Each structure stands twice: as structure tokens, then as C-alpha cells.
């Protein structure tokens, strides 16, 4: 995933970025603090962390990869926000070995649940990192998008297997250990004690449209972005999205 501020990359990030930015703006207004403390679990090289730091927030990135954290440090320095971005090596299961419990206004858990052994525990840990009036941004692989992609590629047996598999995997060589429906993700968030504020489908069409069309057809990128934004909120399209985004709020944040 690329920087959400870059136009071409926005096909993959625009929906999440707009929802997240709106949530941050609401937290700033509710808390009266211009600078929020953000935890980005699995944040890698800073695709969201650096733009969030550009907005003035303090961001801690937890990632198991030393190479990703090195790239994060370089990227933050190049963007002039090194003083607002901290990278620490760790993962979702051992989160509180490296960060403070209950210390963050906003927690990002993007592209993490697919790879943890126990997704429910992963969500509980990220929620435990929130302050009493905190917000969780959860992004994970969607089951329907994978089934559709395998079917359109002519891999019908794999598509059927993914559809029927409890983890949404299309075969032993599938690199993604878990995929989710919108219902499964919202249940994980609610079981962890949060209220689901919004659910969006991400990359409903973007992965199905030939890249050459988007790059060469005048106005195609902008039109596709608008289509993605419109479809993201329609529940019927959640079942075919490549990714699903759930925004969860603590009760105090929801009341605020």
C-alpha cells in the first residue's frame, strides 16, 4: 500500500483515509487536543503513519520487521516528521511488551488480523491499547473479494474452496491465513467491547479494473475513485470487496 496522499495509490487507500481522517477530526474536537496519540500496529514503512504525522499527530508504529522499521525511519525523516514518528519492533500478540496499555486515542490495525494466529486475541489487544474515549480503525482481507478474484481468473475450484473454508483460504499455497466477512469483523470488534461506528468495503472495483485503463483513459482514475467511495458504504458491496474496514469506538467516544 502506498502513501494515501499520492493520487494513483489512492485507489487502495482513499476510502480508509477519508474515514480515518474524519474520525481523527472528531477526536480532536471531542478532546480539545490538536495532537492525538496514534498507535499503528503492523504499520510497516509508514504508509498511514507518516501522513498522520504530517497532520500533527504523534504516531507509534509497531511492526515485526526491522527492514520495515528502517524504511519508516527514513520515510519519516524525508517527510520532516521524524520527531512525531516512533518505530518499535513487536507484534499484536506481544503488544504490551513494547507499548503502553490504554495509552492511545486511536489505534490502527491494518492488514494484521489476516496473519495472526488468533484474530480475536489480536482485536482484544488493540482495543486494550485504547484510552477510554478511543477509536479503532480495523482493515482486513475480505472473503468475497478473494472468491470473486479466483473465479474471474478461471480458478473455480479454488474459489469454491475459499467460499467454504472456515478461514477463507483457497488452497495450501494461499499466502493469506485468514479472510473475513463484514459480519465476522463486526462481531470481533463488538466482542472486544467496542461499538461499530461504520463499515466500508475497500477496493470493490479497483482490483477488477485493468490498470492500463485507469492510467490512460482521461478522467478514469477520478471517476473510479468516486465510484469506490459511493460503493464503500453500500452493504451489498461489502460481500465482494477485497478488503473490509470497520471503525470501532469505545462507549465514551461514541457518546462524545
Amino acid at each position: 500500500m502506498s502513501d494515501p496522499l499520492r493520487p494513483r495509490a489512492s485507489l487502495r487507500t482513499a476510502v480508509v483515509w477519508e474515514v480515518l481522517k474524519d474520525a481523527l477530526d472528531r477526536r480532536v474536537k471531542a478532546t480539545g487536543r490538536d495532537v492525538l496519540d496514534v498507535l499503528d500496529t503492523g504499520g510497516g514503512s509508514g504508509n498511514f503513519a507518516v501522513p498522520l504525522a504530517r497532520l500533527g499527530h504523534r504516531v507509534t508504529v509497531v511492526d515485526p520487521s526491522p527492514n520495515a522499521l528502517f524504511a519508516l525511519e527514513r520515510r519519516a525523516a524525508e517527510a520532516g516528521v521524524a520527531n512525531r514518528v516512533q518505530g518499535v519492533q513487536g507484534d499484536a500478540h506481544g503488544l504490551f511488551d513494547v507499548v503502553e496499555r490504554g495509552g492511545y486515542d486511536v489505534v490502527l490495525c491494518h492488514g494484521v488480523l489476516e496473519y495472526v494466529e488468533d484474530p480475536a486475541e489480536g482485536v482484544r489487544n488493540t482495543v486494550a491499547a485504547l484510552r477510554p474515549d478511543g477509536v479503532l480503525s480495523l482493515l482486513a482481507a475480505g472473503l468475497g473479494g478473494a472468491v470473486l478474484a479466483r473465479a474471474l481468473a478461471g480458478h473455480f475450484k479454488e474459489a469454491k474452496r475459499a467460499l467454504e473454508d472456515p478461514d477463507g483460504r483457497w488452497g495450501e499455497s494461499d499466502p493469506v491465513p485468514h479472510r473475513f466477512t463484514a459480519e465476522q469483523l463486526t462481531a470481533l470488534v463488538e466482542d472486544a467491547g467496542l461499538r461499530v461506528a461504520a463499515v466500508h468495503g475497500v477496493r470493490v472495483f479497483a482490483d477488477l479494473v485493468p490498470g492500463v485503463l485507469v492510467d490512460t483513459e482521461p478522467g478514469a482514475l477520478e471517476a473510479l475513485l468516486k465510484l469506490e467511495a459511493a460503493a464503500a458504504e453500500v452493504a451489498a458491496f461489502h460481500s465482494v470487496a477485497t478488503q473490509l474496514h470497520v471503525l470501532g469506538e469505545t462507549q465514551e467516544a461514541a457518546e462524545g
Side-chain angles (χ1 to χ4, degrees):
M1 190 181 295
S2 299
D3 190 328
L5 300 183
R6 295 175 184 170
R8 184 66 178 86
S10 60
L11 277 174
R12 292 176 175 268
T13 62
V15 169
V16 179
W17 180 247
E18 289 305 316
V19 174
L20 181 58
K21 189 173 183 300
D22 180 64
L24 286 162
D25 290 344
R26 285 187 280 112
R27 295 318 309 143
V28 165
K29 184 176 180 180
T31 61
R33 291 185 283 112
D34 291 334
V35 180
L36 300 177
D37 292 305
V38 181
L39 175 64
D40 188 356
T41 63
S45 61
N47 297 321
F48 277 89
V50 170
L52 288 173
R54 285 185 192 143
L55 295 177
H57 303 300
R58 290 184 294 266
V59 188
T60 300
V61 175
V62 177
D63 197 277
S65 168
N67 290 337
L69 293 174
F70 178 76
L72 167 70
E73 183 178 355
R74 184 176 64 246
R75 189 173 188 173
E78 291 172 352
V81 294
N83 62 325
R84 292 196 292 273
V85 177
Q86 177 189 13
V88 292
Q89 191 171 358
D91 57 36
H93 286 307
L95 191 59
F96 300 115
D97 293 336
V98 294
V99 301
E100 177 187 359
R101 186 182 296 268
Y104 299 90
D105 300 290
V106 179
V107 174
L108 277 59
C109 182
H110 294 174
V112 173
L113 285 195
E114 298 93 324
Y115 301 101
V116 298
E117 184 175 341
D118 184 346
E121 181 188 354
V123 174
R124 288 194 299 269
N125 276 356
T126 56
V127 170
L130 288 171
R131 286 176 174 151
D133 56 348
V135 173
L136 171 67
S137 174
L138 178 64
L139 181 69
L143 170 63
V147 172
L148 185 61
R150 301 315 289 175
L152 291 177
H155 303 300
F156 306 122
K157 290 181 179 179
E158 292 180 351
K160 184 173 182 291
R161 178 167 176 176
L163 187 61
E164 297 172 345
D165 185 80
D167 291 317
R169 304 188 74 219
W170 47 256
E172 295 303 320
S173 59
D174 188 341
V176 179
H178 305 282
R179 293 188 180 86
F180 306 89
T181 64
E183 291 76 17
Q184 288 170 332
L185 282 182
T186 55
L188 286 172
V189 170
E190 289 173 343
D191 289 348
L194 298 187
R195 183 187 78 89
V196 173
V199 180
H200 290 84
V202 179
R203 291 155 59 189
V204 174
F205 306 104
D207 292 350
L208 305 176
V209 176
V212 64
L213 188 154
V214 177
D215 292 333
T216 61
E217 187 73 19
L221 176 60
E222 183 179 355
L224 182 54
L225 281 168
K226 290 180 179 178
L227 177 61
E228 287 280 352
E233 298 188 44
V234 180
F237 286 108
H238 295 169
S239 61
V240 295
T242 298
Q243 292 177 306
L244 294 164
H245 183 250
V246 177
L247 190 73
E249 299 177 333
T250 62
Q251 189 61 38
E252 191 170 329
E255 293 172 353

PDB file of all heavy atoms in Angstrom, residues 84-104:
ATOM      1  N   ARG A  84       7.839  13.077  15.256  1.00  0.00           N
ATOM      2  CA  ARG A  84       6.476  12.668  15.621  1.00  0.00           C
ATOM      3  C   ARG A  84       6.188  11.205  15.293  1.00  0.00           C
ATOM      4  O   ARG A  84       5.064  10.738  15.475  1.00  0.00           O
ATOM      5  CB  ARG A  84       5.453  13.565  14.910  1.00  0.00           C
ATOM      6  CG  ARG A  84       5.454  14.998  15.407  1.00  0.00           C
ATOM      7  CD  ARG A  84       4.225  15.750  14.993  1.00  0.00           C
ATOM      8  NE  ARG A  84       4.163  15.977  13.564  1.00  0.00           N
ATOM      9  CZ  ARG A  84       4.707  17.012  12.942  1.00  0.00           C
ATOM     10  NH1 ARG A  84       5.382  17.914  13.635  1.00  0.00           N
ATOM     11  NH2 ARG A  84       4.589  17.154  11.632  1.00  0.00           N
ATOM     12  N   VAL A  85       7.192  10.481  14.817  1.00  0.00           N
ATOM     13  CA  VAL A  85       7.007   9.070  14.462  1.00  0.00           C
ATOM     14  C   VAL A  85       8.030   8.214  15.190  1.00  0.00           C
ATOM     15  O   VAL A  85       9.229   8.457  15.099  1.00  0.00           O
ATOM     16  CB  VAL A  85       7.141   8.853  12.943  1.00  0.00           C
ATOM     17  CG1 VAL A  85       7.025   7.375  12.604  1.00  0.00           C
ATOM     18  CG2 VAL A  85       6.079   9.647  12.186  1.00  0.00           C
ATOM     19  N   GLN A  86       7.554   7.220  15.904  1.00  0.00           N
ATOM     20  CA  GLN A  86       8.436   6.288  16.606  1.00  0.00           C
ATOM     21  C   GLN A  86       8.133   4.867  16.134  1.00  0.00           C
ATOM     22  O   GLN A  86       6.980   4.448  16.100  1.00  0.00           O
ATOM     23  CB  GLN A  86       8.217   6.367  18.115  1.00  0.00           C
ATOM     24  CG  GLN A  86       9.066   5.372  18.907  1.00  0.00           C
ATOM     25  CD  GLN A  86       8.695   5.315  20.373  1.00  0.00           C
ATOM     26  OE1 GLN A  86       7.648   5.827  20.766  1.00  0.00           O
ATOM     27  NE2 GLN A  86       9.536   4.706  21.180  1.00  0.00           N
ATOM     28  N   GLY A  87       9.163   4.132  15.764  1.00  0.00           N
ATOM     29  CA  GLY A  87       9.001   2.747  15.360  1.00  0.00           C
ATOM     30  C   GLY A  87       9.565   1.805  16.399  1.00  0.00           C
ATOM     31  O   GLY A  87      10.664   2.023  16.909  1.00  0.00           O
ATOM     32  N   VAL A  88       8.790   0.764  16.758  1.00  0.00           N
ATOM     33  CA  VAL A  88       9.256  -0.237  17.713  1.00  0.00           C
ATOM     34  C   VAL A  88       8.966  -1.623  17.157  1.00  0.00           C
ATOM     35  O   VAL A  88       7.949  -1.846  16.506  1.00  0.00           O
ATOM     36  CB  VAL A  88       8.600  -0.071  19.099  1.00  0.00           C
ATOM     37  CG1 VAL A  88       9.059   1.195  19.776  1.00  0.00           C
ATOM     38  CG2 VAL A  88       7.085  -0.093  18.997  1.00  0.00           C
ATOM     39  N   GLN A  89       9.882  -2.546  17.406  1.00  0.00           N
ATOM     40  CA  GLN A  89       9.728  -3.898  16.885  1.00  0.00           C
ATOM     41  C   GLN A  89       8.847  -4.725  17.815  1.00  0.00           C
ATOM     42  O   GLN A  89       9.077  -4.790  19.024  1.00  0.00           O
ATOM     43  CB  GLN A  89      11.098  -4.566  16.718  1.00  0.00           C
ATOM     44  CG  GLN A  89      11.039  -5.868  15.944  1.00  0.00           C
ATOM     45  CD  GLN A  89      12.423  -6.401  15.608  1.00  0.00           C
ATOM     46  OE1 GLN A  89      13.427  -5.771  15.925  1.00  0.00           O
ATOM     47  NE2 GLN A  89      12.478  -7.549  14.953  1.00  0.00           N
ATOM     48  N   GLY A  90       7.816  -5.347  17.247  1.00  0.00           N
ATOM     49  CA  GLY A  90       6.906  -6.166  18.036  1.00  0.00           C
ATOM     50  C   GLY A  90       5.747  -6.629  17.186  1.00  0.00           C
ATOM     51  O   GLY A  90       5.700  -6.375  15.973  1.00  0.00           O
ATOM     52  N   ASP A  91       4.784  -7.314  17.808  1.00  0.00           N
ATOM     53  CA  ASP A  91       3.609  -7.778  17.070  1.00  0.00           C
ATOM     54  C   ASP A  91       2.368  -7.657  17.936  1.00  0.00           C
ATOM     55  O   ASP A  91       2.425  -7.250  19.101  1.00  0.00           O
ATOM     56  CB  ASP A  91       3.793  -9.220  16.579  1.00  0.00           C
ATOM     57  CG  ASP A  91       4.087 -10.201  17.708  1.00  0.00           C
ATOM     58  OD1 ASP A  91       3.524 -10.013  18.819  1.00  0.00           O
ATOM     59  OD2 ASP A  91       4.873 -11.135  17.499  1.00  0.00           O
ATOM     60  N   ALA A  92       1.214  -8.022  17.362  1.00  0.00           N
ATOM     61  CA  ALA A  92      -0.071  -7.817  18.035  1.00  0.00           C
ATOM     62  C   ALA A  92      -0.199  -8.646  19.308  1.00  0.00           C
ATOM     63  O   ALA A  92      -0.776  -8.194  20.302  1.00  0.00           O
ATOM     64  CB  ALA A  92      -1.215  -8.144  17.073  1.00  0.00           C
ATOM     65  N   HIS A  93       0.335  -9.856  19.301  1.00  0.00           N
ATOM     66  CA  HIS A  93       0.171 -10.721  20.463  1.00  0.00           C
ATOM     67  C   HIS A  93       1.026 -10.264  21.647  1.00  0.00           C
ATOM     68  O   HIS A  93       0.609 -10.388  22.804  1.00  0.00           O
ATOM     69  CB  HIS A  93       0.506 -12.168  20.090  1.00  0.00           C
ATOM     70  CG  HIS A  93      -0.553 -12.812  19.253  1.00  0.00           C
ATOM     71  ND1 HIS A  93      -1.877 -12.834  19.629  1.00  0.00           N
ATOM     72  CD2 HIS A  93      -0.498 -13.450  18.057  1.00  0.00           C
ATOM     73  CE1 HIS A  93      -2.598 -13.467  18.714  1.00  0.00           C
ATOM     74  NE2 HIS A  93      -1.780 -13.836  17.739  1.00  0.00           N
ATOM     75  N   GLY A  94       2.211  -9.729  21.367  1.00  0.00           N
ATOM     76  CA  GLY A  94       3.065  -9.225  22.443  1.00  0.00           C
ATOM     77  C   GLY A  94       3.054  -7.714  22.499  1.00  0.00           C
ATOM     78  O   GLY A  94       4.063  -7.101  22.869  1.00  0.00           O
ATOM     79  N   LEU A  95       1.924  -7.123  22.171  1.00  0.00           N
ATOM     80  CA  LEU A  95       1.839  -5.670  22.003  1.00  0.00           C
ATOM     81  C   LEU A  95       2.296  -4.908  23.243  1.00  0.00           C
ATOM     82  O   LEU A  95       3.043  -3.926  23.144  1.00  0.00           O
ATOM     83  CB  LEU A  95       0.393  -5.294  21.660  1.00  0.00           C
ATOM     84  CG  LEU A  95       0.138  -3.867  21.189  1.00  0.00           C
ATOM     85  CD1 LEU A  95       0.933  -3.549  19.933  1.00  0.00           C
ATOM     86  CD2 LEU A  95      -1.360  -3.658  20.937  1.00  0.00           C
ATOM     87  N   PHE A  96       1.885  -5.385  24.418  1.00  0.00           N
ATOM     88  CA  PHE A  96       2.165  -4.602  25.630  1.00  0.00           C
ATOM     89  C   PHE A  96       3.543  -4.892  26.218  1.00  0.00           C
ATOM     90  O   PHE A  96       3.876  -4.414  27.299  1.00  0.00           O
ATOM     91  CB  PHE A  96       1.045  -4.816  26.644  1.00  0.00           C
ATOM     92  CG  PHE A  96      -0.279  -4.386  26.079  1.00  0.00           C
ATOM     93  CD1 PHE A  96      -1.280  -5.317  25.854  1.00  0.00           C
ATOM     94  CD2 PHE A  96      -0.496  -3.066  25.703  1.00  0.00           C
ATOM     95  CE1 PHE A  96      -2.486  -4.939  25.291  1.00  0.00           C
ATOM     96  CE2 PHE A  96      -1.694  -2.669  25.138  1.00  0.00           C
ATOM     97  CZ  PHE A  96      -2.692  -3.606  24.933  1.00  0.00           C
ATOM     98  N   ASP A  97       4.318  -5.654  25.480  1.00  0.00           N
ATOM     99  CA  ASP A  97       5.732  -5.757  25.803  1.00  0.00           C
ATOM    100  C   ASP A  97       6.481  -4.526  25.310  1.00  0.00           C
ATOM    101  O   ASP A  97       7.591  -4.235  25.780  1.00  0.00           O
ATOM    102  CB  ASP A  97       6.345  -7.002  25.151  1.00  0.00           C
ATOM    103  CG  ASP A  97       5.800  -8.296  25.735  1.00  0.00           C
ATOM    104  OD1 ASP A  97       5.336  -8.271  26.892  1.00  0.00           O
ATOM    105  OD2 ASP A  97       5.825  -9.313  25.034  1.00  0.00           O
ATOM    106  N   VAL A  98       5.859  -3.811  24.345  1.00  0.00           N
ATOM    107  CA  VAL A  98       6.574  -2.694  23.708  1.00  0.00           C
ATOM    108  C   VAL A  98       5.821  -1.360  23.759  1.00  0.00           C
ATOM    109  O   VAL A  98       6.416  -0.311  23.521  1.00  0.00           O
ATOM    110  CB  VAL A  98       6.916  -3.028  22.234  1.00  0.00           C
ATOM    111  CG1 VAL A  98       7.924  -4.165  22.166  1.00  0.00           C
ATOM    112  CG2 VAL A  98       5.673  -3.386  21.434  1.00  0.00           C
ATOM    113  N   VAL A  99       4.510  -1.389  24.051  1.00  0.00           N
ATOM    114  CA  VAL A  99       3.759  -0.127  24.137  1.00  0.00           C
ATOM    115  C   VAL A  99       2.905  -0.118  25.397  1.00  0.00           C
ATOM    116  O   VAL A  99       2.681  -1.144  26.040  1.00  0.00           O
ATOM    117  CB  VAL A  99       2.859   0.109  22.896  1.00  0.00           C
ATOM    118  CG1 VAL A  99       3.686   0.142  21.634  1.00  0.00           C
ATOM    119  CG2 VAL A  99       1.744  -0.930  22.823  1.00  0.00           C
ATOM    120  N   GLU A 100       2.384   1.055  25.703  1.00  0.00           N
ATOM    121  CA  GLU A 100       1.598   1.249  26.917  1.00  0.00           C
ATOM    122  C   GLU A 100       0.154   0.788  26.720  1.00  0.00           C
ATOM    123  O   GLU A 100      -0.491   1.102  25.720  1.00  0.00           O
ATOM    124  CB  GLU A 100       1.622   2.740  27.294  1.00  0.00           C
ATOM    125  CG  GLU A 100       0.800   3.108  28.502  1.00  0.00           C
ATOM    126  CD  GLU A 100       0.725   4.608  28.712  1.00  0.00           C
ATOM    127  OE1 GLU A 100       1.340   5.346  27.924  1.00  0.00           O
ATOM    128  OE2 GLU A 100       0.034   5.028  29.666  1.00  0.00           O
ATOM    129  N   ARG A 101      -0.360   0.063  27.681  1.00  0.00           N
ATOM    130  CA  ARG A 101      -1.767  -0.325  27.677  1.00  0.00           C
ATOM    131  C   ARG A 101      -2.626   0.911  27.980  1.00  0.00           C
ATOM    132  O   ARG A 101      -2.333   1.680  28.888  1.00  0.00           O
ATOM    133  CB  ARG A 101      -2.002  -1.404  28.739  1.00  0.00           C
ATOM    134  CG  ARG A 101      -3.395  -2.000  28.751  1.00  0.00           C
ATOM    135  CD  ARG A 101      -3.528  -3.012  29.870  1.00  0.00           C
ATOM    136  NE  ARG A 101      -2.637  -4.152  29.678  1.00  0.00           N
ATOM    137  CZ  ARG A 101      -2.983  -5.272  29.041  1.00  0.00           C
ATOM    138  NH1 ARG A 101      -4.198  -5.379  28.527  1.00  0.00           N
ATOM    139  NH2 ARG A 101      -2.120  -6.261  28.920  1.00  0.00           N
ATOM    140  N   GLY A 102      -3.682   1.101  27.209  1.00  0.00           N
ATOM    141  CA  GLY A 102      -4.585   2.212  27.455  1.00  0.00           C
ATOM    142  C   GLY A 102      -3.985   3.581  27.210  1.00  0.00           C
ATOM    143  O   GLY A 102      -4.399   4.565  27.840  1.00  0.00           O
ATOM    144  N   GLY A 103      -3.033   3.687  26.281  1.00  0.00           N
ATOM    145  CA  GLY A 103      -2.320   4.949  26.114  1.00  0.00           C
ATOM    146  C   GLY A 103      -2.574   5.704  24.824  1.00  0.00           C
ATOM    147  O   GLY A 103      -1.914   6.708  24.565  1.00  0.00           O
ATOM    148  N   TYR A 104      -3.571   5.269  24.023  1.00  0.00           N
ATOM    149  CA  TYR A 104      -3.710   5.854  22.688  1.00  0.00           C
ATOM    150  C   TYR A 104      -5.148   6.286  22.381  1.00  0.00           C
ATOM    151  O   TYR A 104      -6.114   5.620  22.739  1.00  0.00           O
ATOM    152  CB  TYR A 104      -3.238   4.855  21.624  1.00  0.00           C
ATOM    153  CG  TYR A 104      -1.783   4.496  21.814  1.00  0.00           C
ATOM    154  CD1 TYR A 104      -1.408   3.429  22.616  1.00  0.00           C
ATOM    155  CD2 TYR A 104      -0.782   5.285  21.244  1.00  0.00           C
ATOM    156  CE1 TYR A 104      -0.073   3.126  22.830  1.00  0.00           C
ATOM    157  CE2 TYR A 104       0.552   4.989  21.454  1.00  0.00           C
ATOM    158  CZ  TYR A 104       0.907   3.910  22.244  1.00  0.00           C
ATOM    159  OH  TYR A 104       2.232   3.616  22.463  1.00  0.00           O
TER     160      TYR A 104
END
